[in-house]
Amino acid sequence: WNHRLLRAFALSFIMGSAIGCGCTNFVSDPQAHLKGRLSNSAVHVVDFCRLVDSFPCLYTNKRILTDALRRYEKVWLPLLAAVPTAKERLSLVPPLDVEWVWHCHM
């Protein structure tokens, strides 16, 4: 993601959260609204997209994407399904390429 795309994503998230929470008036200063209303999960998504952007092969190299998709479907999803409790599943951390595929899938 480049800087403009990150900003557009953040602003669209803010607009969506302002609409979703029943707010009727959008703040005239989006930066102030961003600092005041942006949830930790949205900040995590932006940070994650910046991390992925630092490895362009994750979105430009077809072979790497194909391997990541295979590992997501054939390794990661079955692994999660085999873990009995949600607490144990939350302790698992996927490799970056697999997390990228999951992010795109969701």
Side-chain angles (χ1 to χ4, degrees):
W1 290 43
N2 64 34
H3 190 57
R4 278 182 266 156
L5 285 174
L6 285 172
R7 183 182 168 113
F9 169 79
L11 290 176
S12 69
F13 180 85
I14 293 167
M15 299 271 306
S17 65
I19 293 166
C21 73
C23 300
T24 55
N25 50 353
F26 185 67
V27 194
S28 61
D29 180 7
Q31 292 296 337
H33 191 67
L34 176 64
K35 291 176 184 171
R37 307 278 298 163
L38 196 56
S39 72
N40 287 337
S41 61
V43 171
H44 173 74
V45 169
V46 170
D47 288 343
F48 174 71
C49 290
R50 283 187 177 133
L51 177 63
V52 168
D53 191 47
S54 67
F55 296 95
C57 63
L58 290 174
Y59 53 87
T60 60
N61 186 311
K62 189 174 181 175
R63 184 187 58 79
I64 288 176
L65 283 170
T66 301
D67 287 345
L69 182 59
R70 179 191 53 78
R71 290 179 350 119
Y72 173 70
E73 290 177 339
K74 304 293 183 188
V75 178
W76 188 252
L77 291 179
L79 174 67
L80 287 178
V83 176
T85 67
K87 184 178 179 180
E88 290 174 319
R89 283 190 294 274
L90 288 174
S91 68
L92 297 174
V93 178
L96 183 59
D97 64 332
V98 170
E99 187 175 4
W100 174 236
V101 171
W102 175 82
H103 178 82
C104 293
H105 176 228
M106 299 317 255

